[in-house]
Every structure is written in structure tokens, then in C-alpha cells.
Amino acid sequence: MTNIIKLHDEQTTNPLKLDDKYRFDVGQRPIFNQLIDDKEFTYEEINGYSQVWDTTNDKPIPNGVVGSKYHPTAYHELVDRCSEGLVKANLDTGCIVKDAMHEGGAKFVRTISYPNITIEPKTRKEGDIIRFEIVLRSSLDGSWVHSLQILPIRLLCLNGMVGVDSNYKLIFNFKHTTGFTAEMIRDKVLIGQESFQEMSQWFEALSNAEVTTSDVKSLLKQTLFKKQVQKDAELKE
């Protein structure tokens, strides 16, 4: 039998608080072609494109030239909505949060790990623990849509190496922030948490026998994907 542990550590600080260096507002500015006519420089605005700009620190976002249909959303707006959703789901404590920006601020990743929400197979080898994790991703250069990922992370060795197979992820992508609400995030993470716990039988089997990709997909259809379809149907009623 598998042990599933869920505890909320008492914390005196808010683990979901976003550092001020990530709290900058964004906007768009026109971009221009430089023209030379009789040794004089003139500038012509390029229609249909703009440069995403960090308006708080007054600097451009690297690789931030985007089309007219793109509308940037500040990272702190997404994080605040995500944090509100986690509060509503009672998943705002007992977690470890890591934030990172890449490519000069063009990309952002928030990883939220729950060391006390785990699956520990009875037949496991020493250190074989699967933990619950949530990942929020976004970009300001148009390369990534807003993404909420819910996944099991398995400790591969005692040195701390971890791994996850793409087949196990529950991923929700959003091109716009209209549907990216606290209520939506609450529903998604609760579905993910419940499904994570129901996958304990699969992880138990994984410790004893070889499990194929087909086995994984079959289980997901009965857990993650099935619950998501049910939830979406309920929201449409």
C-alpha cells in the first residue's frame, strides 16, 4: 500500500510572495526603420509591430518585437492570480517556491514544490519519493503562452536528481488572460492534486514491474484527463 502524506507546515512568511525584482509593469512602444536620404537620417514607423517595454525600469525586453495582436501581461499579474487561486485551494502553505527569469526577462518560470504532498511506495528503493509540483510559465517575447503545469516529480537518486515524463503532466495553456482567473487555477490544481493521489497505484506498480507508456496513458485517461473533461462539462452547465 502507498503512503500519501499531506501536511501544512506552519510558516511565518508568505512563501508565494513575489520578489520586487519581478514586479515590473510592461507596455509596448513603436519601432522604426532608419532611412538615409541625402545624408540625412529619417525614421519611419513599422506598422503592425511593436517593442515590448519594461515601463518600470524603462528598458526594452530582449527579443521583444511582437505583432499587433500580441498584448503583454506583466509577470506579477499572473503570479498574483495564481497565488490567489492557491489560497482558495488551501495550497498556499507548506510549499517551496523558486522564481527565475531567463533571457534578460523575456521568459519567467515559477516552480512551486510541495515536499509534504508525496507518494512513497511501500516497495520503493531508498529515497524513491514522488512529490507534487506546480509550474507557472510565461514570456514577454511571444515565444511562450501562459502555462500552468501540474506534475509529479520523482526523485531519481539520493543526490537530488529528479525527473518527470511528459506523459504525466497536466498542462493548461492560455494565449490571453481572460480565462486565467483565481477560480480557474483553484479548480485546476485541485483536480491535479486529487489525480496525483489516485496515481499512487501506478507508482506502486512502477517500483515492482516494468510499466509501458500505454499503461501510463490508460491510467491518465481514468484520472487526470477524465476529471478535466468532467470539470469542463460542469462549468458549461
Side-chain angles (χ1 to χ4, degrees):
M1 182 176 180
T2 301
N3 293 329
I4 299 174
I5 305 172
K6 177 183 176 183
L7 299 173
H8 284 296
D9 293 340
E10 295 205 358
Q11 296 173 312
T12 57
T13 59
N14 178 11
L16 298 177
K17 183 179 179 181
L18 185 67
D19 190 278
D20 288 343
K21 67 182 177 182
Y22 303 111
R23 286 193 170 277
F24 57 88
D25 294 317
V26 293
Q28 291 169 273
R29 293 188 180 182
I31 56 176
F32 301 86
N33 271 328
Q34 186 183 64
L35 306 176
I36 302 177
D37 185 14
D38 293 331
K39 297 184 179 180
E40 292 186 1
F41 293 98
T42 59
Y43 297 91
E44 179 181 72
E45 183 174 343
I46 301 176
N47 294 325
Y49 294 92
S50 62
Q51 167 69 51
V52 180
W53 205 265
D54 173 351
T55 58
T56 299
N57 301 298
D58 193 26
K59 63 180 183 180
I61 298 297
N63 303 314
V65 176
V66 296
S68 59
K69 294 183 179 181
Y70 182 82
H71 301 285
T73 302
Y75 296 140
H76 68 84
E77 294 182 27
L78 297 170
V79 168
D80 289 347
R81 295 184 195 183
C82 184
S83 297
E84 185 180 350
L86 293 176
V87 170
K88 291 178 179 292
N90 293 319
L91 287 170
D92 56 310
T93 58
C95 55
I96 299 172
V97 179
K98 294 181 180 180
D99 294 322
M101 284 194 303
H102 304 281
E103 299 178 17
K107 294 178 174 62
F108 174 82
V109 179
R110 162 165 280 207
T111 303
I112 310 169
S113 301
Y114 293 85
N116 292 324
I117 301 180
T118 63
I119 296 174
E120 301 183 38
K122 284 289 187 180
T123 55
R124 71 185 186 279
K125 298 178 182 178
E126 183 178 1
D128 188 2
I129 299 172
I130 301 95
R131 70 168 183 263
F132 184 67
E133 188 168 285
I134 298 170
V135 177
L136 173 67
R137 300 198 329 170
S138 186
S139 72
L140 291 171
D141 61 1
S143 59
W144 290 353
V145 296
H146 312 312
S147 175
L148 182 70
Q149 304 180 8
I150 304 169
L151 57 155
I153 295 292
R154 187 181 185 195
L155 184 65
L156 297 181
C157 69
L158 295 179
N159 291 329
M161 181 179 177
V162 297
V164 62
D165 190 293
S166 59
N167 285 309
Y168 314 156
K169 291 182 181 180
L170 186 60
I171 302 176
F172 304 98
N173 292 327
F174 302 85
K175 291 184 178 179
H176 308 286
T177 57
T178 304
F180 198 85
T181 64
E183 290 73 21
M184 180 281 300
I185 293 168
R186 175 200 60 200
D187 293 342
K188 303 301 186 190
V189 297
L190 287 177
I191 289 172
Q193 184 187 359
E194 183 179 354
S195 298
F196 170 80
Q197 293 173 338
E198 290 183 359
M199 290 179 72
S200 62
Q201 60 178 331
W202 180 81
F203 285 112
E204 186 76 46
L206 183 63
S207 298
N208 292 286
E210 181 178 351
V211 179
T212 67
T213 300
S214 297
D215 296 330
V216 175
K217 291 182 178 180
S218 176
L219 178 61
L220 290 175
K221 288 179 181 179
Q222 298 301 317
T223 55
L224 291 178
F225 303 151
K226 183 177 180 180
K227 290 181 181 299
Q228 182 54 38
V229 171
Q230 292 173 341
K231 194 64 180 181
D232 290 343
E234 291 173 2
L235 294 175
K236 293 178 182 179
E237 291 180 352

